[in-house]
Amino acid sequence: MADKTIVFQAIGTAWFIDLPDKYLSLETEILNVVHKFEADYSRFKPSSYVSQLNTTGVVTKPNQEFVDMLDFANDTYFKSGGLFNISVGGQLENNGYGQVPSRPNKIYPNYTKYLTIQPDSVTISKPDMHIDFGGFGKGWLIDKLANKLNEAGVPKYIINGGGDIYSHGSQQSVIYIEDPTKPDYY
């Protein structure tokens, strides 16, 4: 399919982007988008919006994408009847995934009551509530990268972010799915 595969690690997983050799000059731009996304929204990066919100309870002057992601999370929360819940971040930390909290954190079944989104600030009113974008962040980044490649006129490509895959163009793609009970079998 592609003449070149760009390989890198980001947001906790391996990424592969296959695209025609002619578009290799986009690699730096792609990696810049990825690194900025990770710096802005990973709860593992202390200066990210997510970490600031989890640590201090407030983000002043949030960028529009952060607000859009929070709005998306809230919309998904309501559409799923509360099953999708970004307040899972605290429980992930309690379980040792990422920074170990100094005090136990909670998942709030009605987290939207404690998250206030305003044009100039975002606040959490429960100090033991921490958010995490892991439920949709990788897909959000894949869509950003696809938009970037589409804007650049790349006719065909595949983005694979740790198994979340976006394929574009007229090429035929064969995607193997590993049998979860038999390693190395697909």
Side-chain angles (χ1 to χ4, degrees), residues 53-54 87 90 103 105-108 110-112 114-115 124-131:
L53 188 60
N54 288 342
S87 80
R103 66 185 181 298
N105 293 305
K106 296 180 185 176
I107 296 175
Y108 281 85
N110 51 355
Y111 82 89
T112 59
Y114 310 110
L115 177 69
I124 290 178
S125 61
K126 295 284 188 182
D128 60 350
M129 182 177 103
H130 288 189
I131 67 165

Side-chain angles (χ1 to χ4, degrees), residues 10-136:
I11 59 175
T13 195
W15 289 70
F16 306 90
I17 301 178
D18 296 338
L19 70 164
D21 202 30
K22 174 181 175 183
Y23 296 94
L24 283 179
S25 60
L26 294 173
E27 183 172 5
T28 300
E29 287 180 62
I30 289 167
L31 293 176
N32 286 341
V33 168
V34 170
H35 295 312
K36 179 162 179 26
F37 185 87
E38 195 167 33
D40 285 349
Y41 310 116
S42 171
R43 72 180 169 81
F44 300 103
K45 304 287 184 182
S47 62
S48 77
Y49 290 113
V50 172
S51 290
Q52 287 177 43
L53 188 60
N54 288 342
T55 304
T56 68
V58 65
V59 171
T60 55
K61 298 185 176 147
N63 71 14
Q64 187 59 51
E65 185 173 38
F66 184 57
V67 171
D68 291 346
M69 291 175 82
L70 290 168
D71 287 341
F72 175 82
N74 288 349
D75 188 47
T76 305
Y77 168 82
F78 289 114
K79 285 180 178 175
S80 71
L83 295 174
F84 182 85
N85 186 328
I86 61 172
S87 80
V88 70
Q91 186 61 49
L92 294 171
E93 292 168 0
N94 291 344
N95 292 343
Y97 184 57
Q99 184 176 353
V100 178
S102 58
R103 66 185 181 298
N105 293 305
K106 296 180 185 176
I107 296 175
Y108 281 85
N110 51 355
Y111 82 89
T112 59
K113 288 172 51 176
Y114 310 110
L115 177 69
T116 304
I117 305 167
Q118 297 177 324
D120 60 339
S121 68
V122 176
T123 59
I124 290 178
S125 61
K126 295 284 188 182
D128 60 350
M129 182 177 103
H130 288 189
I131 67 165
D132 179 79
F133 287 159
F136 69 93

